[in-house]
C-alpha cells in the first residue's frame, strides 16, 4: 500500500486508534513530545505510542478524507476532539449520543433518514473516562454553525460530529466525538481520551 | 523516500481570529486574495510575486502577503472543503478584501476534459452543505463575470489555454472518486451522470461556498483550477501547477489594473 493520498502518511505509521483534532484546537499541547510522522495539507500527525493524533482541518469534508484514508491503513477506532457552542453554559464537555445531520458530507454516505450516532460502547467509555453522567444529548452539526440556529432541544452546535458518525457507520468503524466549549482547555481532557483509545476492544 | 510535494513543518497554531490583526500589524492594506486549498500551493504562488512575506501559518491556513504591481495582496490557504473556505474568506473580508480567487485542483467530469487542463468557473453546482448557510436552495452559485473574463485573459497572457464552464462542488472526495463504496452509490452515480450530460467540466470542493458567500457579502469571486487525475499520486498532482499559478496571478494582475 502506498502513502495515504492526502495525509501523506506511510500506512505502517497508522495504528488502530486515532484521536482526530479539529483545526480550531491547538494540537501542540496535546502532542507534547510525540514524534511527528506526517505534515501535509491540514493533516499534522503525531504517533503517541499505539495511538495516532491527527489534525483534521475545519469541518466535515477534510474530516471524512482523514477517516477514509486512515481506515484504509488499518485504523478502527476514532475519537474526534472538537469545539462546540453549547446551548447551556455549564456544559463544558459533551459526548453526544447523536447528531443532527445538517452537514453536506454525510449526505454523500447515507440517505438523510439514517441516524448519526456514535459507537455506543466507545461513547460510554469516553463519558466514564471524563466523569460525565450518561445522557442522551444531541448536537446539531452544520457546515456553518453560526448560520444555522440549532433545533430546540439540541445541546449545542458543532461542525463535524454527524459526518464522523455516518462515515464511521458506513465503513464499519468505531467512532465518537468529545466536544469542548472552550478550545483552549482541550488539553485537560486529552489524557482521558487517549486512555480510552488504548483500551482493548472488548 | 523523497517527498517532492511541498510539506508544511513550521506551522504554529493560532486562532483564525488573529488573522486580520496579523496582516494589519504589517501595515498592509490588501485588496485581493488568492485562495488555494492546499498550504503547499501558497509558496508556489508566492514565487510569482514581489517580496512575499509569511504573515500567518496555522495549519491549514498559511498566508503570504505580497505586492503585485505596487498593490498589497495576500495568498491564503483555506484547507479542503466549504467550512474552511468560508472561515478563511470571512477572516480576510474583515480586512476589507473584496476580491477572492480560488486557485486549486479538480477532477474531470465531462467527456473530453483532459488531465492538466485549466478551467475557469462561471458557476458551481451546489452539491455541498456550506452554501445553504448563505443562499436558499436553487439559488445559483455564480462567479463574478469580470473575474471570469480576467482569469481567461490572464491564462491567455501567460501563454496557457483555459476554458470556462461550470464546476461541481461536493463535500465527499471519496464519494466522487469511489462512488461504489458509498451506501448512496446510485444517487451519486445518477448525479454524476447528470453533471456529465450537462457539460460540467470539473469536480472540486470549494467554489460553490465561495461564490455563495461572496454574493451574500457583495464581494467579487472567481475560481481557476487545474484538472488532476485522482488516480495519479499526490506528487504527480503538482505536474503543470506552474501553469495554473501563472494564469491565476496574471488574471489577478488584470483585475488590479496592472496588466500590461
Amino acid at each position: 500500500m502506498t502513502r495515504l493520498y492526502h495525509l501523506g502518511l506511510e500506512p505502517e505509521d497508522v495504528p488502530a486508534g486515532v484521536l482526530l483534532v479539529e483545526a480550531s484546537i491547538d494540537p501542540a499541547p496535546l502532542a507534547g513530545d510525540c514524534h511527528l510522522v506526517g505534515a501535509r495539507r491540514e493533516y499534522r500527525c503525531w504517533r503517541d505510542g499505539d495511538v495516532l493524533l491527527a489534525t483534521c482541518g475545519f469541518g466535515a469534508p477534510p474530516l471524512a478524507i482523514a477517516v477514509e484514508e486512515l481506515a484504509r491503513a488499518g485504523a478502527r477506532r476514532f475519537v474526534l476532539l472538537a469545539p462546540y457552542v453549547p446551548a447551556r453554559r455549564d456544559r463544558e464537555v459533551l459526548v453526544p449520543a447523536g447528531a443532527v445531520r445538517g452537514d453536506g458530507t454525510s449526505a454523500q454516505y447515507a440517505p438523510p433518514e439514517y441516524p448519526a450516532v456514535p459507537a455506543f460502547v466507545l461513547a460510554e467509555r469516553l463519558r466514564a473516562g471524563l466523569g460525565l453522567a450518561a445522557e442522551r444529548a444531541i448536537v446539531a452539526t452544520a457546515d456553518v454553525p453560526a448560520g444555522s440556529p440549532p433545533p430546540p432541544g439540541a445541546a449545542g452546535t458543532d461542525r463535524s460530529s454527524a459526518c464522523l458518525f455516518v462515515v464511521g457507520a458506513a465503513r464499519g468503524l468505531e467512532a465518537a466525538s468529545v466536544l469542548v466549549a472552550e478550545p483552549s482547555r482541550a488539553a485537560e481532557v486529552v489524557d482521558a481520551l487517549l486512555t480510552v483509545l488504548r483500551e482493548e476492544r472488548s | 523516500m523523497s517527498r517532492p510535494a511541498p510539506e508544511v513543518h513550521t506551522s504554529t497554531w493560532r486562532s483564525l481570529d488573529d488573522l486580520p490583526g496579523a496582516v494589519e500589524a504589517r501595515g498592509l492594506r490588501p485588496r485581493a486574495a488568492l485562495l488555494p486549498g492546499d498550504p503547499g500551493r501558497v509558496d508556489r504562488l508566492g514565487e510569482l510575486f514581489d517580496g512575499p512575506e509569511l504573515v500567518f501559518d496555522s495549519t491549514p491556513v498559511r498566508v503570504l502577503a505580497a505586492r503585485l504591481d505596487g498593490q498589497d495582496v495576500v495568498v491564503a490557504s483555506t484547507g479542503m472543503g466549504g467550512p474552511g473556505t468560508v472561515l478563511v474568506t470571512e477572516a480576510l473580508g474583515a480586512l476589507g478584501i473584496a476580491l477572492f480567487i480560488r486557485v486549486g485542483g479538480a477532477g474531470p467530469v465531462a467527456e473530453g476534459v483532459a488531465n492538466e487542463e485549466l478551467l475557469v468557473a462561471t458557476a458551481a453546482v451546489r452539491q455541498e452543505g456550506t452554501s445553504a448557510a448563505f443562499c436558499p436552495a436553487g439559488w445559483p452559485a455564480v462567479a463574478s463575470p469580470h473575474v471570469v473574463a480576467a482569469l481567461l485573459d490572464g491564462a491567455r497572457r501567460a501563454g496557457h489555454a483555459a476554458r470556462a464552464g461550470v464546476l461541481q462542488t461536493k463535500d465527499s472526495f471519496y464519494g466522487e472518486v469511489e462512488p461504489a463504496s458509498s451506501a448512496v452509490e446510485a444517487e451519486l452515480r445518477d448525479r454524476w451522470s447528470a453533471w456529465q450530460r450537462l457539460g460540467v467540466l470539473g469536480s472540486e470542493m470549494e467554489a460553490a461556498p465561495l461564490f455563495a458567500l461572496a454574493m451574500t457579502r457583495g464581494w467579487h469571486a472567481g475560481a481557476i483550477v487545474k484538472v488532476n487525475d485522482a488516480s495519479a499520486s499526490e506528487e504527480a498532482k503538482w505536474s503543470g501547477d506552474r501553469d495554473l499559478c501563472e494564469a491565476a496571478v496574471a488574471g489577478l494582475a488584470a483585475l488590479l489594473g496592472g496588466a500590461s
Side-chain angles (χ1 to χ4, degrees):
Chain A
M1 188 178 175
T2 57
R3 276 189 295 166
L4 308 188
Y5 184 72
H6 291 93
L7 279 76
L9 291 181
E10 299 292 346
E12 55 267 30
D13 286 331
V14 179
V18 178
L19 177 63
L20 295 164
V21 181
E22 211 258 8
S24 302
I25 292 174
D26 184 358
L30 315 182
D33 297 329
C34 293
H35 178 54
L36 185 73
V37 292
R40 183 182 280 177
R41 291 183 174 268
E42 37 268 270
Y43 308 112
R44 290 168 66 77
C45 303
W46 294 265
R47 196 59 197 265
D48 185 356
D50 52 359
V51 172
L52 186 78
L53 191 151
T55 61
C56 59
F58 292 110
L63 170 79
I65 288 172
V67 173
E68 290 268 17
E69 296 189 3
L70 292 168
R72 284 156 202 234
R76 287 294 171 264
R77 281 189 299 283
F78 292 84
V79 173
L80 169 69
L81 178 56
Y84 88 119
V85 179
R88 260 177 36 200
R89 287 192 175 189
D90 61 342
R91 189 136 58 180
E92 294 196 2
V93 182
L94 181 75
V95 178
V100 180
R101 290 179 54 191
D103 68 307
T105 309
S106 70
Q108 287 161 24
Y109 283 88
E113 301 85 356
Y114 185 80
V117 291
F120 182 82
V121 172
L122 181 59
E124 288 290 295
R125 285 182 177 167
L126 289 165
R127 280 191 206 99
L130 291 162
L132 301 173
E135 61 174 343
R136 195 172 54 189
I138 304 300
V139 70
T141 297
D143 291 313
V144 185
S148 314
T157 55
D158 83 338
R159 281 197 180 84
S160 304
S161 289
C163 172
L164 175 70
F165 301 163
V166 171
V167 175
R171 295 286 176 259
L173 309 168
E174 290 182 77
S177 63
V178 175
L179 307 176
V180 291
E182 179 43 69
S184 65
R185 297 181 65 181
E188 296 174 22
V189 301
V190 71
D191 286 345
L193 313 191
L194 292 171
T195 298
V196 171
L197 275 168
R198 290 196 174 101
E199 290 172 357
E200 287 297 313
R201 184 175 181 180
S202 57
Chain B
M1 182 182 287
S2 64
R3 293 188 172 192
E7 303 286 340
V8 181
H9 286 296
T10 56
S11 168
T12 300
W13 186 89
R14 295 176 73 181
S15 167
L16 264 187
D17 295 340
D18 297 340
L19 174 54
V23 176
E24 288 174 327
R26 312 279 180 129
L28 304 171
R29 297 290 299 265
R31 292 179 54 194
L34 295 182
L35 301 175
D38 188 339
R41 191 171 267 125
V42 170
D43 293 333
R44 291 169 176 266
L45 283 160
E47 292 170 3
L48 302 176
F49 290 91
D50 299 330
E53 183 182 9
L54 185 66
V55 296
F56 188 91
D57 190 13
S58 179
T59 303
V61 186
R62 184 171 171 85
V63 183
L64 292 180
R67 304 276 290 172
L68 181 63
D69 296 322
Q71 299 184 63
D72 293 335
V73 300
V74 296
V75 181
S77 56
T78 61
M80 291 181 282
T85 299
V86 164
L87 286 169
V88 173
T89 306
E90 293 268 39
L92 295 171
L95 284 164
I97 295 175
L99 169 60
F100 298 93
I101 299 173
R102 160 163 160 66
V103 186
V109 179
E111 294 291 326
V113 176
N115 196 33
E116 299 191 13
E117 191 170 355
L118 298 183
L119 309 176
V120 174
T122 54
V125 174
R126 294 173 56 194
Q127 196 178 352
E128 41 73 47
T130 304
S131 67
F134 305 103
C135 305
W139 190 273
V142 178
S144 301
H146 72 290
V147 178
V148 176
L151 288 170
L152 290 169
D153 186 51
R156 184 182 56 76
R157 286 169 185 267
H160 310 303
R163 63 169 148 167
V166 176
L167 302 180
Q168 173 233 21
T169 303
K170 83 281 186 179
D171 280 330
S172 170
F173 176 82
Y174 285 99
E176 175 213 333
V177 301
E178 297 179 7
S181 72
S182 174
V184 290
E185 175 187 0
E187 179 186 329
L188 293 176
R189 289 195 188 280
D190 188 49
R191 294 289 179 95
W192 189 263
S193 173
W195 311 144
Q196 288 184 313
R197 292 172 66 167
L198 290 161
V200 171
L201 297 177
S203 174
E204 53 82 77
M205 297 178 71
E206 292 84 15
L210 174 64
F211 298 165
L213 172 65
M215 293 174 90
T216 302
R217 299 281 183 265
W219 298 334
H220 306 293
I224 182 167
V225 296
K226 179 177 70 82
V227 175
N228 295 319
D229 179 352
S231 64
S233 67
E234 174 79 5
E235 287 77 12
K237 186 192 80 169
W238 296 102
S239 174
D241 207 67
R242 181 83 177 185
D243 294 359
L244 169 69
C245 294
E246 288 176 349
V249 173
L252 178 59
L255 286 162
L256 294 176
S260 57

